[in-house]
Amino acid sequence: MSGSSFFFTFLSRLPPHIYHPKHPLLHCAGALGYVPLCFVLPCVLYLRARRGALAAREVAASWAVICVSAAVMCLAAIGSLRSLIVSSGAYKFFS
């Protein structure tokens, strides 16, 4: 085994198992990755595709969804980062 493969194998085993369903790092990835793709991007694309043909209430509803989704995304990211910081005290190498 070469030195670099040993080093990277060792390095890959240092962090805890991050794919556990209750792991805060997975929640942070969900908050920052999935919320924009599922809620914000469709509204933005809809607003751009039908730029001049929308009623004022449709534009307001789309912007309301964008703003609420952005607020939820920020709060979820803050909460998951807080949970990650709180749980860092129980961190164990090679767990």
Side-chain angles (χ1 to χ4, degrees):
M1 178 182 257
S2 69
S4 63
S5 63
F6 174 77
F7 173 73
F8 287 115
T9 302
F10 178 78
L11 194 63
S12 70
R13 295 302 301 155
L14 278 177
H17 188 62
I18 65 169
Y19 297 111
H20 189 272
K22 295 189 179 198
H23 197 278
L25 194 57
L26 191 61
H27 295 168
C28 188
L32 297 176
Y34 297 129
V35 170
L37 288 176
C38 294
F39 298 106
V40 177
L41 186 64
C43 289
V44 170
L45 293 176
Y46 181 72
L47 287 172
R48 289 196 61 159
R50 307 214 32 214
R51 189 169 300 185
L54 291 175
R57 70 176 194 278
E58 291 175 325
V59 173
S62 293
W63 277 107
V65 169
I66 290 170
C67 292
V68 168
S69 298
V72 168
M73 177 184 65
C74 290
L75 291 175
I78 290 169
S80 65
L81 288 175
R82 182 195 172 279
S83 179
L84 186 63
I85 292 169
V86 167
S87 68
S88 68
Y91 180 79
K92 293 183 176 146
F93 287 107
F94 303 110
S95 61

